[in-house]
Amino acid sequence: MAIQQDATAGDRREGLKETVVRTTSAAGAGIGQLTSGLSTALPALLVLLWLAVTAAASLVGVGLLMAPATLRALHALADRERRRLGRWGLEVLAPEPPPTQLRLALPDPTTRRELRWLVRHATLGSLLGFLSVLLSISAARDSLFPLYWKLMPKDTTATSVGLGNAHSWPDALAVAMLGVGWIAIILGLTPGMARLQARPGRRLLASGPETDLSLRIAELTATRAAALDAHATELRRIERSLHDGTQNRIVSVTVLLGAARRMVARDPAGADELLERAQTAAEQALAELRTVARGILPPVLADRGLAGALAGLAASCAVPCRIDVEVPERCAASVEATAYFIVAEALTNIAKHSGAEHATVTARSRGGRLHLCVEDDGRGGADEDGGSGLTGIRRRIAAHDGNLSLASPPGGPTTLKADLPCGS
């Protein structure tokens, strides 16, 4: 009976622990989503003001000239919100690109939905975002008040709501209890506030019922097929490297060790020579194994990040190469590995085929996507469909639902550009 009671108590403790962890995680995610919403809510306020000025100026004709730029800003901000929502939940499928000409935009259903989203996100979205920031600051200020209240000037307001003064420890603890109340509000309300902030975007920015999704389905099907092809190609490459290189080295080591063992009694000098050859073969096999391992997932990415890994590629390139990387936050490991492969393959092609004297690698993180650009001053004439290296690059990019473009006119220069979603 006692054992059963202990087991029941242990289950209750585990259940309580899971509830606390789940609630805390949901509140933290809610705060993060609400504050990230300010990155589009504040620009939405500016675009809404811009639209109002454009509408007013249209009465005298000047706004008609401003309308295309205003509509482009609206569509770009809506696309940015779709990407943001995709990072915090299900992907928001974008409709066909809406028009930017005023005559075509007025009856366009996508533009109308984006305008309705703009008004709601600029008002309610901004309010909820600022409220989450205010709640977080108030919770931190009041709950930590006993740690610093003696350092505050006399008769300074003690609470974050602007009421009361603390003259004793009980007063300070009362302020801390208010901070606990703020934390309880954060735990209880922020997940719902985040859903409320995201609801207009998920409802109004998604593809409407009039949108034909067959092209998107075909694109996703092709992307999945490209991912499977890239995976199979990578497995074949690893198997070929192990079979043709490392395995042969190890077989050679085994043969040499067997011959040395048989010769050690009657010809010690010959056995020593065979052992030396076996050691050389073993070192070569180890080097080939390290090369294969680096090809699977370069350890330099985990140790030094994408910037350090690309700097290492540039340092080992036969063509002088300049690196310009501006990626403040880490991307997903698969994205960084793909970016590393793209740059490594591009620099290899430059060294082998371009005859270039200089190359430049640029990496930027903008709007939730990683943009890569590899340029050289070589002879040009590269064909996107002509080599296995570029084919491998294209398949890896397609597996991440990214984009690839290659400009290589005869006589050069050659510019390879790729962009990948940072979080996929």
Side-chain angles (χ1 to χ4, degrees):
M1 187 65 177
I3 296 176
Q4 186 177 3
Q5 291 177 347
D6 291 342
T8 303
D11 291 341
R12 289 177 180 173
R13 286 193 297 270
E14 288 296 325
L16 179 61
K17 181 180 178 181
E18 291 179 2
T19 302
V20 171
V21 171
R22 185 167 58 249
T23 303
T24 305
S25 299
I31 289 291
Q33 186 171 349
L34 286 164
T35 52
S36 73
L38 289 175
S39 65
T40 51
L42 295 180
L45 283 171
L46 298 178
V47 174
L48 186 61
L49 178 61
W50 190 1
L51 279 170
V53 172
T54 302
S58 297
L59 299 177
V60 295
V62 179
L64 299 177
L65 301 176
M66 300 168 56
T70 308
L71 290 171
R72 282 194 294 270
L74 170 65
H75 301 327
L77 185 61
D79 288 337
R80 182 176 176 183
E81 176 69 2
R82 292 186 185 99
R83 292 193 295 268
R84 186 188 75 85
L85 294 175
R87 291 195 295 270
W88 289 102
L90 296 177
E91 179 184 7
V92 179
L93 294 179
E96 293 295 322
T100 57
Q101 293 81 14
L102 184 61
R103 181 176 58 83
L104 299 176
L106 289 176
D108 180 60
T110 298
T111 303
R112 290 185 175 184
R113 288 199 303 271
E114 289 182 352
L115 286 171
R116 291 163 57 193
W117 162 81
L118 182 73
V119 174
R120 297 184 186 186
H121 194 57
T123 53
L124 180 61
S126 298
L127 177 63
L128 291 172
F130 281 122
L131 185 58
S132 69
V133 174
L134 182 62
L135 283 172
S136 301
I137 295 175
S138 299
R141 181 192 185 281
D142 291 347
S143 60
L144 299 177
F145 186 74
L147 300 179
Y148 62 86
W149 75 280
K150 283 185 172 294
L151 304 177
M152 297 183 65
K154 188 178 180 180
D155 296 330
T156 301
T157 302
T159 64
S160 56
V161 295
L163 299 175
N165 302 103
H167 303 289
S168 62
W169 277 107
D171 295 339
L173 293 176
V175 176
M177 292 305 298
L178 178 61
V180 173
W182 293 129
I183 294 174
I185 293 175
I186 290 174
L187 293 176
L189 295 185
T190 50
M193 291 167 58
R195 290 191 296 269
L196 183 61
Q197 186 194 57
R199 187 177 300 163
R202 293 197 176 278
R203 187 166 62 86
L204 297 173
L205 297 183
S207 300
E210 74 283 352
T211 303
D212 183 9
L213 296 180
S214 59
L215 293 177
R216 178 59 176 166
I217 294 173
E219 179 184 349
L220 292 175
T221 302
T223 298
R224 184 182 65 177
L228 294 174
D229 288 344
H231 180 66
T233 301
E234 190 68 12
L235 289 179
R236 285 194 296 269
R237 183 189 67 80
I238 295 171
E239 187 275 335
R240 187 166 57 250
S241 298
L242 293 175
H243 182 274
D244 297 343
T246 308
Q247 179 176 279
N248 289 340
R249 299 288 185 189
I250 295 175
V251 169
S252 176
V253 170
T254 303
V255 171
L256 291 172
L257 288 176
R261 185 172 60 84
R262 291 189 295 270
M263 293 178 59
V264 68
R266 54 186 173 83
D267 187 3
D272 185 67
E273 181 182 352
L274 290 178
L275 288 174
E276 184 176 353
R277 291 170 56 190
Q279 180 180 0
T280 302
E283 291 172 352
Q284 293 174 345
L286 182 60
E288 291 176 355
L289 274 176
R290 288 172 176 166
T291 301
V292 173
R294 284 195 297 269
I296 299 173
L297 185 62
V300 68
L301 285 172
D303 298 337
R304 301 170 56 192
L306 184 61
L310 297 184
L313 286 176
S316 61
C317 182
V319 176
C321 182
R322 183 176 66 87
I323 293 289
D324 184 8
V325 179
E326 186 180 335
V327 184
E329 298 179 357
R330 295 295 298 268
C331 300
S334 59
V335 174
E336 290 189 346
T338 299
Y340 181 89
F341 173 84
I342 292 170
V343 175
E345 188 65 34
L347 292 181
T348 299
N349 289 343
I350 290 173
K352 287 183 177 180
H353 308 298
S354 70
E357 297 181 356
H358 190 269
T360 302
V361 176
T362 305
R364 294 284 185 273
S365 178
R366 295 287 187 274
R369 298 186 73 85
L370 176 64
H371 300 270
L372 297 172
C373 180
V374 184
E375 301 175 89
D376 69 79
D377 56 358
R379 64 176 67 96
D383 184 2
E384 185 176 338
D385 300 319
S388 59
L390 287 173
T391 300
I393 290 176
R394 187 175 62 254
R395 285 178 174 174
R396 284 180 179 250
I397 293 175
H400 288 280
D401 205 10
N403 302 300
L404 171 69
S405 64
L406 178 66
S408 183
T414 297
T415 302
L416 185 147
K417 293 183 179 180
D419 73 271
L420 302 162
C422 289
S424 68

